[in-house]
Amino acid sequence: MSRSNPRVVSVLERAGGFASAQEVYRLMQREGESIGLTTVYRSLQSLVNDKIVDVLRREDGEAIYRLCGGAHHHHLVCKGCGETIEIEGGAIEKWAKTMAEEFGFRDVGHTAEIFGLCPKC
Amino acid sequence: MSRSNPRVVSVLERAGGFASAQEVYRLMQREGESIGLTTVYRSLQSLVNDKIVDVLRREDGEAIYRLCGGAHHHHLVCKGCGETIEIEGGAIEKWAKTMAEEFGFRDVGHTAEIFGLCPKC
DNA sequence: GCACAAATGAAAATGATTTTCATTTCCATA
DNA sequence: TATGGAAATGAAAATCATTTTCATTTGTGC
């Protein structure tokens, strides 16, 4: 079994928000780190098992990972040009917690994104 | 462009809850319906466009579909067993509107989902 | 019947993820 | 310092859902 790889953690830290396995791999390549795609996948799985990393899914089904506990934010995405603005969740955090409690859910995370046309488009 | 296929709708009705494209296909085969996998995918996409069908993702990334009332709602999804509860957005609707206005976005929609472990898992 | 657009589906392509398997790296102990 | 085995690694192949291609079929109005 492969161990949680500190180099992968480091990349996730620098990536800030979410990153897919493929993105982590590409980033490490670009930075001259020598690592195989297989190892990236195994490290991420291991990190998820250890609850160091959170996994969820993009709209297209690709798995995306982020460090747990790190401050998280949401996105305002332009349908026209793709510009993305990071925004605060505000009321959402409370909403998620309330809903989860109401239905007895534990170990809870959430996603929320807003999309529309930005002023330029 | 392919049209929303009533035979696919019918299968989703009989399936009750969620079904993946592959499952819909297998079900139709088993029932002697002559249909191609490609057509199943196209029909489901079309149904999603028309907001007749809801799509979300299994833990493994496979897309699953089900008929939905059409009313705008959000999901509370169990990471363990996949059980899904439809919940009200409440504060989110206002949050999305506020954020969009703040940045001058028009024509705005949003997604929000909560995931965690349900009481049984 | 005829032409033309839409629908269909088989097969190939795509892309993420997993598996296989041979090799390399670690590490404890002789 | 050897050495033997366990864990880690990664290249390449396999898997599997989904999409694309493209040739054929179906339906509809004239």
Side-chain angles (χ1 to χ4, degrees):
Chain A
M1 202 59 43
S2 121
R3 203 185 289 100
S4 298
N5 190 321
R7 292 191 295 158
V8 170
V9 174
S10 162
V11 170
L12 283 177
E13 267 167 5
R14 270 171 289 130
F18 289 102
S20 71
Q22 304 280 346
E23 282 163 0
V24 168
Y25 176 65
R26 272 179 244 127
L27 275 171
M28 294 181 79
Q29 296 260 300
R30 216 169 291 150
E31 292 172 7
E33 296 248 22
S34 164
I35 195 168
L37 184 54
T38 314
T39 303
V40 170
Y41 273 103
R42 276 193 288 235
S43 301
L44 287 170
Q45 273 167 0
S46 190
L47 287 164
V48 170
N49 277 346
D50 297 350
K51 312 219 173 191
I52 294 167
V53 157
D54 236 10
V55 58
L56 46 121
R57 297 268 166 190
R58 289 224 177 99
E59 194 127 330
D60 68 353
E62 190 175 0
I64 50 180
Y65 306 83
R66 82 170 161 192
L67 292 172
C68 294
H72 86 276
H73 50 251
H74 299 274
H75 294 123
L76 180 55
V77 184
C78 177
K79 292 191 278 198
C81 62
E83 187 193 348
T84 299
I85 301 171
E86 288 186 3
I87 55 180
E88 289 301 314
I92 296 213
E93 319 299 329
K94 192 176 293 175
W95 169 77
K97 189 184 283 185
T98 305
M99 283 296 175
E101 274 167 11
E102 180 174 332
F103 291 94
F105 274 54
R106 294 160 290 138
D107 205 358
V108 176
H110 65 270
T111 59
E113 300 206 349
I114 308 176
F115 44 88
L117 286 171
C118 75
K120 279 174 287 179
C121 293
Chain B
M1 202 60 42
S2 121
R3 204 184 290 102
S4 299
N5 190 323
R7 292 190 297 159
V8 170
V9 174
S10 161
V11 171
L12 283 177
E13 267 167 8
R14 270 173 288 130
F18 288 103
S20 71
Q22 305 279 345
E23 284 163 359
V24 167
Y25 175 65
R26 274 179 242 126
L27 275 172
M28 294 181 77
Q29 297 260 302
R30 216 169 291 151
E31 292 173 8
E33 297 247 21
S34 165
I35 195 168
L37 183 55
T38 314
T39 303
V40 171
Y41 273 103
R42 277 194 287 234
S43 301
L44 287 171
Q45 274 167 359
S46 190
L47 288 165
V48 169
N49 277 346
D50 298 350
K51 315 220 173 188
I52 294 167
V53 155
D54 235 9
V55 57
L56 45 119
R57 296 269 166 189
R58 288 225 179 97
E59 187 106 343
D60 69 351
E62 190 176 357
I64 50 182
Y65 306 83
R66 85 171 153 191
L67 293 173
C68 91
H72 172 71
H73 53 250
H74 298 275
H75 294 124
L76 179 55
V77 184
C78 177
K79 293 193 276 199
C81 61
E83 187 193 347
T84 300
I85 301 170
E86 288 188 3
I87 55 181
E88 290 299 315
I92 296 214
E93 318 298 329
K94 192 176 294 177
W95 170 77
K97 190 183 284 186
T98 305
M99 283 295 174
E101 272 167 12
E102 181 174 331
F103 290 94
F105 274 54
R106 296 160 288 139
D107 203 0
V108 177
H110 65 271
T111 60
E113 299 203 350
I114 308 177
F115 46 87
L117 286 172
C118 76
K120 279 174 287 181
C121 292

